[in-house]
Amino acid sequence: MKKVLIIGASGSLAEIVIEALKPMTDVSLTLFVRNKSRLSRAIADNCILLEGDAMHYDSIKKVISGQDIVYVNLAGNLEAMGKNIVKAMHETGVKRIIAISSIGIYEIPLKSVLIPYRKLADVIEASDLDYTILRPDWFTNANEIDYAITHKGEPEIGSAISRKSIASFIATVIKNPELHTKANLGISKI
């Protein structure tokens, strides 16, 4: 059984990722949220649900210990939370991480709203973890799976992408964790 921790499980994208992962019979999901009441019963059903704050190192280390894959879906002070997560993964021997950043984090000048997402990517890339950083375009609720990937350094192409498409990609990586390691990828609809 593959143990997957979702940090920031109450986010709108994370909930679609959870729905995509639930049918995988070889995956055990642990959902980490600041406030359990923000998750619907349907989303939390058959998952381990833990409450805490990624800003508190001891809290995050405790939930990372024993996991196989960490999926990060956060907003806020991403540099501090990213440092806590990377440090906890190093100390507990957990190597595989998938993190959501944002399109546009390598543009110059960098928009202020994107600075936390750039810092998260920088923290993770500076680690020796087996990471996949995703830089999605704007999210839609379209009921479609249609995406293209670009690598860091390539022009970001495409347009707004469905949450379902991103969730499908993440489910593929969780099913095959050897895919896209040490990768920083743009993901958009073409």
Side-chain angles (χ1 to χ4, degrees), residues 64-81:
I64 286 175
S65 181
Q67 300 292 332
D68 297 306
I69 300 173
V70 174
Y71 167 62
V72 178
N73 193 117
L74 293 168
N77 188 344
L78 295 174
E79 182 179 29
M81 291 186 275

Side-chain angles (χ1 to χ4, degrees), residues 49-61:
L49 182 57
L50 299 173
E51 199 170 61
D53 189 336
M55 291 296 291
H56 300 137
Y57 177 70
D58 291 339
S59 177
I60 203 72
K61 182 179 178 184

Side-chain angles (χ1 to χ4, degrees), residues 101-115 117-118 121 134-138 150 154-157 184-188:
S101 181
S102 176
I103 190 171
I105 63 170
Y106 297 110
E107 292 178 1
I108 298 173
L110 180 61
K111 295 177 184 171
S112 61
V113 70
L114 297 177
I115 291 171
Y117 296 96
R118 171 65 186 268
L134 280 180
R135 295 176 280 111
D137 207 309
W138 294 101
T150 56
E154 297 176 345
E156 294 174 326
I157 57 173
N184 183 331
L185 306 171
I187 183 168
S188 301

Side-chain angles (χ1 to χ4, degrees), residues 2-6 21 27-30 67 69 71 174:
K2 199 178 301 176
K3 294 182 177 179
V4 177
L5 171 65
I6 298 180
L21 297 178
V27 169
S28 170
L29 289 175
T30 299
Q67 300 292 332
I69 300 173
Y71 167 62
I174 287 174

